[in-house]
């Protein structure tokens, strides 16, 4: 009876160790990646579709007025273009990582894919961080201007364009925060599995 008890305990322990990471893989990481995808794809679409057209009176000759139509688009600012590209790539990355969480174990080799995922996550954290920061700088410049450099603000004339851009930047920073959390969890889990020598249970 004692031997049977000793034989059963490791089996129960092994099942517990396997079940927890499996539940973790099925719910926590996909949920975080889905939220990050939602944030970054929202930032991408809002900024990519952000434009406003406005007509101004530039001169008056007698009773006639000369008008000029000015358009504000994200393509006019390289920082906003970089913002769209960075968030778009991060959205695609999270979609691929969602697929990897469910089917990647079939094509894994000694846990190598988890090292690759960790590296890619850090790359996209840096990419989204750069895009969001650059866009935030340009947004602040457009809202307040810079009296020292004699750069005039534009948000008093293009309020819709600026408000949409502000929303996109906020969404991007939310996505960045989620990516940082995902990267931190991956590093912690990878360290645990590396210490245990078991490559089959990382999320």
């Amino acid at each position: 009876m004692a031997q049977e008890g000793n034989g059963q305990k490791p089996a129960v322990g092994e099942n517990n160790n396997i079940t927890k990471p499996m539940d973790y893989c099925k719910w926590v990481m996909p949920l975080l990646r889905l939220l990050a995808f939602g944030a970054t794809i929202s930032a991408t679409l809002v900024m990519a579709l952000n434009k406003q057209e406005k007509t101004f009176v530039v001169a008056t000759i007698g009773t006639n007025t000369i008008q000029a139509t000015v358009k504000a688009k994200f393509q006019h600012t390289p920082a906003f273009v970089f913002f769209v590209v960075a968030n778009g790539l991060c959205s695609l990355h999270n979609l691929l990582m969602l697929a990897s969480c469910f089917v990647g174990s079939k094509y894994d080799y000694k846990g190598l894919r988890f090292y690759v995922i960790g590296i890619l996550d850090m790359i996209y954290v840096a990419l989204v961080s750069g895009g969001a920061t650059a866009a935030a700088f340009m947004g602040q410049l457009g809202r307040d201007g810079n009296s020292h450099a004699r750069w005039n603000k534009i948000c008093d004339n293009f309020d819709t364009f600026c408000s949409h851009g502000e929303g996109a930047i906020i969404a991007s920073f939310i996505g960045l925060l989620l990516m940082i959390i995902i990267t931190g969890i991956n590093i912690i889990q990878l360290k645990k599995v590396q210490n245990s020598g078991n490559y089959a249970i990382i999320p």
Side-chain angles (χ1 to χ4, degrees):
M1 296 296 291
Q3 292 180 353
E4 291 180 358
N6 292 335
Q8 291 178 355
K9 288 182 179 178
V12 173
E14 289 175 3
N15 289 335
N16 290 337
N17 289 336
I18 293 173
T19 300
K20 290 180 181 179
M22 286 180 63
D23 292 340
Y24 175 81
C25 181
K26 287 181 179 179
W27 300 107
V28 177
M29 291 302 286
L31 178 60
L32 288 174
R33 287 202 182 275
L34 189 61
L35 291 173
F37 169 77
T40 54
I41 196 65
S42 297
T44 303
L45 293 177
V46 171
M47 186 64 81
L49 299 175
N50 190 19
K51 61 182 179 180
Q52 186 178 4
E53 183 177 308
K54 208 162 186 179
T55 302
F56 300 94
V57 176
V58 295
T60 302
I61 301 177
T63 58
N64 298 323
T65 58
I66 300 177
Q67 297 180 338
T69 300
V70 182
K71 296 180 180 180
K73 295 182 179 180
F74 85 96
Q75 297 98 322
H76 297 162
T77 306
F80 291 157
V81 175
F82 175 52
F83 176 89
V84 171
V85 172
N87 283 274
L89 289 175
C90 187
S91 301
L92 178 61
H93 165 74
N94 278 312
L95 279 182
L96 294 176
M97 294 305 102
L98 279 170
S100 174
C101 188
F102 293 108
V103 302
S105 58
K106 298 180 180 179
Y107 308 98
D108 194 16
Y109 177 73
K110 295 184 178 180
L112 181 61
R113 72 185 177 99
F114 300 111
Y115 290 95
V116 175
I117 289 173
I119 293 172
L120 289 175
D121 282 341
M122 288 189 289
I123 290 174
Y124 281 101
V125 164
L127 193 63
V128 174
S129 176
T133 303
F137 167 77
M138 293 304 301
Q140 187 274 335
L141 186 62
R143 185 188 65 183
D144 301 328
N146 190 317
S147 59
H148 300 286
R150 296 185 180 181
W151 292 336
N152 296 327
K153 58 184 179 180
I154 65 167
C155 286
D156 53 341
N157 294 318
F158 295 94
D159 52 344
T160 301
F161 177 81
C162 289
S163 62
H164 289 177
E166 182 180 1
I169 293 169
I170 292 173
S172 181
F173 274 112
I174 293 173
L176 174 62
L177 178 61
L178 290 169
M179 286 299 297
I180 292 173
I181 294 172
I182 290 170
T183 303
I185 292 174
N186 277 337
I187 292 173
I188 293 171
Q189 291 297 316
L190 185 58
K191 184 177 180 180
K192 289 180 179 179
V193 173
Q194 188 177 19
N195 292 335
S196 65
N198 188 346
Y199 296 96
I201 62 174
I202 301 183

